Amino acid sequence: MTEITFVTADITEVDVDAVVNAANSTLLGGGGVDGAIHRKGGPEILAACKELRATDYPDGLPAGQAVATTAGRLPARWVIHTVGPTWAKTIDKSDVLASCYRESPRVADELGARTVAFPAISTGVYRWPMDDAARIAVGTVEATWTRVQEVRFVLFNQDAYQTFRAAHS
């Protein structure tokens, strides 16, 4: 059974096997969590992402999918990049957001990762409401079979922490 934990911290500083990056489809860095991971992880992550773009993902990584690279200078061994959907009032993309939380542990299993840190995917510039994102994230992780021993939700502030913690059954 996977243990689910919650912390308020900087995801670039957590000591886990794999850190999940809330990436954009280009895989070439950006703002928020994505930019922080690329900056702190160093050029090794960008080089690995450029290689993925040149080979497996010439059109970018589709939303809901996940792929791993080195973690460069981060304390983790790997970064699992996943692209969350942009929230839209008129289109339900909940299944795409849930897919991020299913596909990332699947990739972690392929790597042999036992501890994985997740950010609150899609809640920044992609505007997903925090309470709904927490419900989808925690519910999906609870329902997904994985060999990962601990999934740690690493939240950026106390409000996000409390919202995600409240979503845990």
Side-chain angles (χ1 to χ4, degrees), residues 7-152:
V7 297
T8 302
D10 178 344
I11 199 163
T12 67
E13 296 178 0
V14 295
D15 187 11
V16 291
D17 295 332
V19 169
V20 176
N21 180 20
N24 64 53
S25 63
T26 69
L27 296 175
L28 302 178
V33 169
D34 191 20
I37 285 173
H38 274 269
R39 281 189 302 278
K40 184 112 181 223
E44 298 88 352
I45 297 173
L46 182 58
C49 287
K50 285 181 176 179
E51 178 64 24
L52 285 169
R53 286 299 306 274
T55 56
D56 298 339
Y57 299 100
D59 297 324
L61 183 66
Q65 293 189 19
V67 66
T69 65
T70 179
R73 300 175 190 156
L74 297 176
R77 288 183 63 188
W78 301 286
V79 173
I80 299 172
H81 306 269
T82 190
V83 179
T86 302
W87 185 79
K89 193 174 197 173
T90 58
I91 302 169
D92 183 8
K93 300 179 186 178
S94 300
D95 58 331
V96 179
L97 183 57
S99 182
C100 295
Y101 291 99
R102 277 191 304 273
E103 288 298 303
S104 296
R106 181 190 60 75
V107 170
D109 285 343
E110 291 174 0
L111 296 168
R114 294 293 178 249
T115 53
V116 176
F118 274 101
I121 297 167
S122 288
T123 61
V125 296
Y126 289 2
R127 303 180 324 275
W128 205 284
M130 189 65 69
D131 59 340
D132 194 47
R135 178 189 60 79
I136 293 166
V138 174
T140 302
V141 168
E142 288 173 339
T144 299
W145 184 91
T146 178
R147 289 186 299 277
V148 171
Q149 294 168 354
E150 180 193 1
V151 167
R152 188 178 311 164

